[in-house]
Amino acid sequence: MSAAQARRVALAAQGFLDRRHERPTMRTLSRTIERTGVLQIDSVNVLQRAHFMPLYSRMGPYDVSLLERASSRKPRRLVEYWAHVAAYMPVELWPVMVHRMRDYEQRGHAWANLPDERLPDALLREIETGGAATARDLDDGLPRTRDNWGWNWSNTKVALEYLFVAGKLAVSKRNSAFERVYDLPERVIPAEILARPEPTVEEAARELIRRAARSYGVATEFDLRDYFRMQHSKAHQHQVRPAIAALVEDGELLPVDVEGWGRPAYLHRDARLPRTVDARALLSPFDPVVWERDRTLRLFDFFYRIEIYVPQAKRVHGYYVLPFLLGDRIVARVDLKADRRGGLLHVAGSYAEPHAPGHTAQALADALRELAGWLGLSGVDVARRGDLAPALAAAVA
């Protein structure tokens, strides 16, 4: 398989062949989640929170309340868990994750170095009797400080997170402050899902590899392992190769050689191999197309690093940089910020790739105007930084 074919297979698997609906509905969202498999959650809100962006990149402008409905109201379609990292996953995956939950329960969580080991049980009883709650609710307003890029967690928060990853609690929703609201799984997960037989470790691993293969289209062993972060789960990490072997034997995965990859790859038998992909999308740093940086380099010859945690003086492209997908290539990147008070989408930097076609600036300008409209901003402001900035500013104007 050529590198270009692999690239088109990957984009098709991720939903970039699907026709946009004029008015995206819950059906559109469900179709998109079927492609991406999960939606990574991240709290950075300089542009738009990470879990909203992959949907936008594929569906176009949509009502973000669709995701809130899918993840917090009946019939619940999505639930939050540590599936890739923190992510929304299809609710039917809850039983598949039971072995991972049991791992956390047995070995404790990296954060669960608590001064009082009775705290998790006490909090569990509190939620059982008092109902869904945030860590702040249960802390009764104890003060917090900002430190090291985030909140200094209280012992209550640490214990609740342990109960969450151990499957003793589930997240019923996120509140307006983007805090997790914890509740008992039986009050969050549909009864018919909880009643399903628990899969064996082997069955669970096979299902995760199967879903990863469908979402990636074509992938290496590491790609497949990483999609659901199976290398971090004691239950699943040693099941990856047996699961791949079983799916190959069943004919669901087809071994292939991809030009330039230098390692074995696997094509899902249902993967589409289109002759062209006519995409135009800004990709979140946490989009499955680019979240594994080595794969991004293999597929697109595009070297990408997120620089949020890099000191400003050492950043190459900017704070919150989004790759721009045009056709089947990543042709540019832009450092974006939503200036909500000023009503503008601010482009702090814009950079073209060497292979970017002549119409890149105009296509990017159109994409930025559409994004601004979706975010409720009245216009686009282009700063002078970056080699693409002059052409982009002219196209926006």
Side-chain angles (χ1 to χ4, degrees):
M1 176 178 287
S2 71
Q5 287 175 320
R7 189 165 58 244
R8 295 196 297 271
V9 166
L11 290 171
Q14 280 289 316
F16 287 99
L17 283 188
D18 296 338
R19 184 179 60 84
R20 284 188 177 185
H21 293 164
E22 185 174 341
R23 183 181 178 187
T25 63
M26 189 62 73
R27 175 172 161 264
T28 320
L29 183 143
S30 297
R31 180 186 70 179
T32 305
I33 296 294
E34 189 177 335
R35 306 295 189 210
T36 66
V38 291
L39 294 174
Q40 182 172 338
I41 298 170
D42 189 84
S43 61
V44 175
N45 197 24
V46 67
L47 179 69
Q48 175 61 289
R49 296 201 194 277
H51 42 286
F52 293 116
M53 281 300 298
L55 296 171
Y56 171 79
S57 298
R58 292 151 179 79
M59 293 162 49
Y62 72 100
D63 183 350
V64 296
S65 69
L66 283 174
L67 182 54
E68 188 270 335
R69 282 170 47 199
S71 61
S72 62
R73 302 188 207 172
K74 295 180 179 180
R76 184 184 293 270
R77 294 167 171 85
L78 301 172
V79 67
E80 186 172 338
Y81 189 62
W82 216 257
H84 177 70
V85 288
Y88 289 115
M89 66 180 188
V91 71
E92 67 265 19
L93 273 181
W94 187 268
V96 177
M97 294 295 179
V98 165
H99 301 288
R100 184 172 298 189
M101 296 170 183
R102 197 167 293 135
D103 274 353
Y104 281 122
E105 181 183 9
Q106 290 173 352
R107 62 187 168 97
H109 194 275
W111 298 318
N113 184 20
L114 295 168
D116 188 344
E117 294 182 358
R118 297 171 296 179
L119 182 57
D121 285 340
L123 291 170
L124 205 52
R125 289 194 299 271
E126 184 71 24
I127 289 176
E128 186 176 9
T129 57
T134 67
R136 192 174 296 275
D137 294 334
L138 296 170
D139 265 341
D140 198 24
L142 289 177
R144 286 175 172 78
T145 59
R146 297 289 302 220
D147 189 25
N148 295 328
W149 304 103
W151 291 106
N152 263 346
W153 284 4
S154 66
N155 287 332
T156 299
K157 175 65 174 176
V158 173
L160 289 169
E161 284 296 292
Y162 167 68
L163 291 167
F164 164 55
V165 296
K168 303 296 183 182
L169 290 176
V171 176
S172 65
K173 64 178 182 179
R174 294 272 186 154
N175 66 11
S176 59
F178 201 60
E179 297 170 313
R180 284 178 173 138
V181 179
Y182 303 90
D183 205 347
L184 301 179
E186 54 265 35
R187 298 202 288 243
V188 174
I189 309 301
E192 64 271 19
I193 301 294
L194 288 177
R196 290 181 180 177
E198 180 182 313
T200 65
V201 175
E202 293 79 10
E203 289 168 341
R206 203 171 304 148
E207 180 62 20
L208 293 177
I209 293 294
R210 174 183 292 115
R211 287 173 180 254
R214 285 206 305 256
S215 290
Y216 263 162
V218 61
T220 66
E221 178 188 315
F222 178 83
D223 295 337
L224 297 173
R225 178 192 296 119
D226 184 67
Y227 208 87
F228 289 97
R229 292 292 167 93
M230 295 172 72
Q231 66 269 33
H232 299 319
S233 166
K234 284 188 177 180
H236 294 148
Q237 60 184 285
H238 299 301
Q239 296 296 328
V240 173
R241 288 185 177 179
I244 291 174
L247 291 170
V248 168
E249 185 176 351
D250 291 344
E252 191 164 350
L253 293 184
L254 309 173
V256 293
D257 289 322
V258 179
E259 175 192 8
W261 281 21
R263 65 195 77 174
Y266 302 90
L267 177 72
H268 193 273
R269 67 183 174 197
D270 297 331
R272 292 174 290 178
L273 177 49
R275 292 185 177 180
T276 60
V277 174
D278 186 22
R280 192 198 72 185
L282 288 155
L283 302 174
S284 158
F286 308 103
D287 192 294
V289 172
V290 295
W291 69 20
E292 208 298 291
R293 309 311 189 200
D294 176 68
R295 178 178 169 86
T296 304
L297 185 61
R298 279 184 277 123
L299 280 173
F300 298 98
D301 193 23
F302 182 77
F303 182 81
Y304 183 47
R305 294 290 182 269
I306 187 167
E307 298 181 272
I308 289 174
Y309 305 112
V310 176
Q312 184 172 357
K314 295 184 178 181
R315 290 177 194 145
V316 176
H317 295 106
Y319 179 78
Y320 201 74
V321 176
L322 280 71
F324 179 51
L325 175 68
L326 186 62
D328 67 356
R329 304 294 302 273
I330 293 175
V331 299
R333 65 187 93 202
V334 281
D335 183 17
L336 298 182
K337 180 178 181 179
D339 178 5
R340 295 173 178 87
R341 181 172 295 181
L344 291 174
L345 177 60
H346 182 56
V347 185
S350 46
Y351 308 85
E353 290 298 291
H355 56 264
H359 65 289
T360 295
Q362 185 59 59
L364 179 54
D366 294 342
L368 290 168
R369 277 192 288 263
E370 184 180 61
L371 176 62
W374 178 59
L375 295 174
L377 305 172
S378 59
V380 180
D381 171 55
V382 181
R384 296 181 179 181
R385 184 160 59 87
D387 63 296
L388 188 58
L392 181 60
V396 166

